[in-house]
Amino acid sequence: MKVTVGSTNPAKVEAVREILQDYPHLKDAEVVGVEADSGVGDQPKTLADVITGSINRAKAAYTDATYSIGLESGLMEVPFTKSGYMDVCACAIFDGTEHHLGLSSGWEFPDKEINRLILEEGLDMSQAINKVGLTADPAIGAGQGAIGILTKGRLDRKAYTKEALRTALIHIDA
């Protein structure tokens, strides 16, 4: 069995590889990361864009595979939050016919300036957190991610991505 991931981001591909070990019918799958366009831009700003991006990545990655997986993170409006927005990761698993969706937990930046930079100045999350001095790592999304910094390592990008994967796998857990 082959499972393709619509990303070459090491955090995303490794998250898929590790999660599949928990599922007997998927644990022996070959996991391959491939370049796949989200079709929604570098920084999704709505839940619809986050989900659309994951679906587009899964469709684009579906080549010679049993399943393909698209993962996309971005902002979504959330009422009653301090900034009005939370970040969420969406997972779409494509079986050639249907998409099976899942979401991670959502979380909010404590610094409203980060969302302003994303929403008003068009920066992506990595650029915004670098600009405010949260990190100086331009490749933070391939490592612990902003969530890793904010939780002081208690929840990193890979674990956050795994949440979305687990909830999408509900649909194909035989």
Side-chain angles (χ1 to χ4, degrees):
M1 174 186 304
K2 183 176 175 184
V3 174
T4 52
V5 182
S7 176
T8 57
N9 180 322
K12 291 181 178 182
V13 176
E14 196 55 35
V16 171
R17 194 171 280 123
E18 289 177 13
I19 282 293
L20 295 187
Q21 295 305 303
D22 293 342
Y23 297 83
H25 65 294
L26 301 170
K27 70 181 179 75
D28 295 322
E30 173 190 10
V31 177
V32 179
V34 298
E35 286 293 330
D37 187 19
S38 71
V40 296
D42 291 339
Q43 182 60 60
K45 297 175 180 104
T46 68
L47 182 57
D49 282 349
V50 174
I51 293 171
T52 299
S54 70
I55 288 171
N56 289 346
R57 286 184 190 275
K59 276 185 188 174
Y62 191 74
T63 54
D64 188 35
T66 306
Y67 298 107
S68 59
I69 296 175
L71 296 156
E72 190 71 32
S73 292
L75 297 178
M76 65 177 180
E77 286 189 64
V78 179
F80 310 111
T81 57
K82 292 173 180 61
S83 67
Y85 291 87
M86 293 183 111
D87 187 85
V88 67
C89 179
C91 176
I93 300 173
F94 187 55
D95 63 14
T97 305
E98 290 185 275
H99 286 94
H100 312 282
L101 301 176
L103 295 174
S104 70
S105 56
W107 56 276
E108 182 178 21
F109 278 110
D111 184 345
K112 293 178 190 174
E113 177 66 5
I114 295 169
N115 284 345
R116 191 195 69 72
L117 290 168
I118 293 169
L119 296 166
E120 295 176 19
E121 293 191 23
L123 300 184
D124 67 29
M125 186 179 296
S126 293
Q127 294 166 331
I129 65 175
N130 274 268
K131 188 166 184 173
V132 300
L134 188 62
T135 184
D137 182 357
I140 189 68
Q144 69 174 330
I147 189 69
I149 295 169
L150 295 171
T151 64
K152 297 175 179 55
R154 293 178 185 100
L155 179 64
D156 64 14
R157 174 100 189 246
K158 189 179 0 173
Y160 168 69
T161 301
K162 286 179 176 182
E163 291 178 352
L165 283 158
R166 281 201 197 281
T167 57
L169 281 163
I170 290 169
H171 299 275
I172 62 170
D173 189 14

